[in-house]
């Protein structure tokens, strides 16, 4: 079964850091571009970042550029999102998602919740 | 490029034909996907390339459009279809989603 499982969310104070992980199984992880998408409470979906299959190309939303870093370990079938200098407005459910060819998402994880609050 | 969905909320009954519109602020050709999301769950891909049905998605869902105007149609609304629907453009980065359309029971 194709599956993505996120972990690493939690409560953090403004200015703090968290690292999210997304464990992939059931498919050849190294062949796929991977993304992070977030959803603030009661709000819509917002694209955060992507990394290509060989880890050489990354993109970020302007709102997280310079604070978040996406990475992957193809040997461990795992995607990461290092989040630094967290702000209250980063509070959201963070989903990892697989891209199928073009940049639409055919597989999503269940999400992990990040709460930034003092 | 901004993506604008309408309506933001839609009240309908089982069996109704439902149409949701997504407009792009400039042409995105056919690079549009539609997702369904239920409360507390991850989004589910319904349609990509504006009109291609994802494998396993019921045929009552269909998509159309190109350029700047797109529609998602549910031909006969089923109880399982009450959810929020999002469009997403993927012609370029940053990827953007529409604001969502919540389909409620009338």
């Amino acid at each position: 079964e194709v599956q993505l499982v996120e972990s690493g969310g939690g409560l953090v104070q403004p200015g703090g850091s968290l690292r999210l992980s997304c464990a992939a199984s059931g498919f050849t992880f190294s062949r796929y571009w991977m993304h992070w998408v977030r959803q603030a409470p009661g709000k819509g979906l917002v694209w955060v970042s992507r990394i290509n299959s060989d880890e050489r190309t990354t993109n970020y939303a302007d709102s997280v550029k310079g604070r978040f870093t996406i990475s992957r370990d193809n040997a461990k079938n795992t995607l990461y999102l290092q989040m630094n200098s967290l702000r209250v407005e980063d509070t959201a459910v963070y989903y990892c998602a697989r891209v199928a060819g073009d940049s639409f998402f055919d597989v999503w994880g269940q999400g992990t919740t990040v709460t930034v609050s003092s | 490029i901004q993506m604008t969905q309408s309506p933001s909320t839609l009240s309908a009954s089982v069996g109704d034909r439902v149409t949701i519109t997504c407009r792009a602020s400039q042409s995105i050709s056919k690079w549009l996907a539609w997702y369904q999301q239920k409360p507390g769950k991850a989004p589910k891909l319904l349609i990509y390339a504006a009109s291609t049905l994802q494998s396993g998605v019921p045929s009552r869902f269909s998509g159309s459009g190109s350029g700047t105007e797109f529609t998602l149609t549910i031909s006969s609304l089923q109880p399982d279809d009450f959810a929020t629907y999002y469009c997403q453009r993927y012609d370029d980065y940053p990827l953007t989603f529409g604001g969502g359309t919540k389909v409620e029971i009338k």
Side-chain angles (χ1 to χ4, degrees), chain B residues 18-98:
Chain B
V18 167
T19 298
I20 298 168
T21 298
C22 181
R23 289 187 174 87
S25 57
Q26 62 189 71
S27 177
I28 59 170
S29 186
K30 64 175 183 177
W31 308 119
L32 186 99
W34 289 97
Y35 302 88
Q36 176 194 67
Q37 187 180 34
K38 297 181 179 179
K41 300 295 186 181
K44 172 188 173 184
L45 176 65
L46 298 176
I47 285 168
Y48 60 93
S51 60
T52 302
L53 198 66
Q54 171 70 350
S55 175
V57 174
S59 59
R60 63 181 179 272
F61 291 92
S62 64
S64 64
S66 66
T68 61
E69 187 152 338
F70 302 85
T71 58
L72 172 70
T73 299
I74 309 172
S75 61
S76 178
L77 198 65
Q78 298 302 302
D80 191 48
D81 301 338
F82 291 97
T84 300
Y85 294 83
Y86 294 94
C87 61
Q88 178 227 335
R89 56 165 276 270
Y90 56 94
D91 60 305
D92 199 359
Y93 287 90
L95 308 179
T96 50
F97 293 85

Side-chain angles (χ1 to χ4, degrees), chain A residues 33 35 37 39 43-47 50 59-62 95 99 102-106 108-111, chain B residues 31 33 35 37 40-45 47-49 54 86 88-90 93-99:
Chain A
W33 292 16
H35 294 240
V37 175
Q39 187 169 35
K43 302 296 185 182
L45 300 166
V46 176
W47 174 78
R50 70 103 166 177
N59 293 85
Y60 298 91
D62 286 346
Y95 296 100
V99 159
D102 294 314
S103 294
F104 59 88
F105 309 113
D106 68 334
W108 296 70
Q110 86 288 353
Chain B
W31 308 119
Y35 302 88
Q37 187 180 34
K41 300 295 186 181
K44 172 188 173 184
L45 176 65
I47 285 168
Y48 60 93
Q54 171 70 350
Y86 294 94
Q88 178 227 335
R89 56 165 276 270
Y90 56 94
Y93 287 90
L95 308 179
T96 50
F97 293 85

Side-chain angles (χ1 to χ4, degrees), chain A residues 32-101:
Chain A
Y32 290 85
W33 292 16
M34 297 295 296
H35 294 240
W36 289 96
V37 175
R38 69 185 182 184
Q39 187 169 35
K43 302 296 185 182
L45 300 166
V46 176
W47 174 78
V48 173
S49 183
R50 70 103 166 177
I51 186 167
N52 71 341
S53 53
D54 64 6
E55 309 174 46
R56 291 177 183 174
T57 302
T58 59
N59 293 85
Y60 298 91
D62 286 346
S63 59
V64 307
K65 203 172 293 183
R67 301 187 298 123
F68 290 12
T69 302
I70 190 171
S71 63
R72 65 192 294 164
D73 185 334
N74 287 339
K76 294 183 177 179
N77 293 335
T78 304
L79 174 73
Y80 302 100
L81 186 67
Q82 177 67 43
M83 305 186 296
N84 298 330
S85 303
L86 281 161
R87 305 168 180 168
V88 170
E89 55 265 35
D90 295 319
T91 295
V93 175
Y94 284 74
Y95 296 100
C96 62
R98 186 183 84 169
V99 159

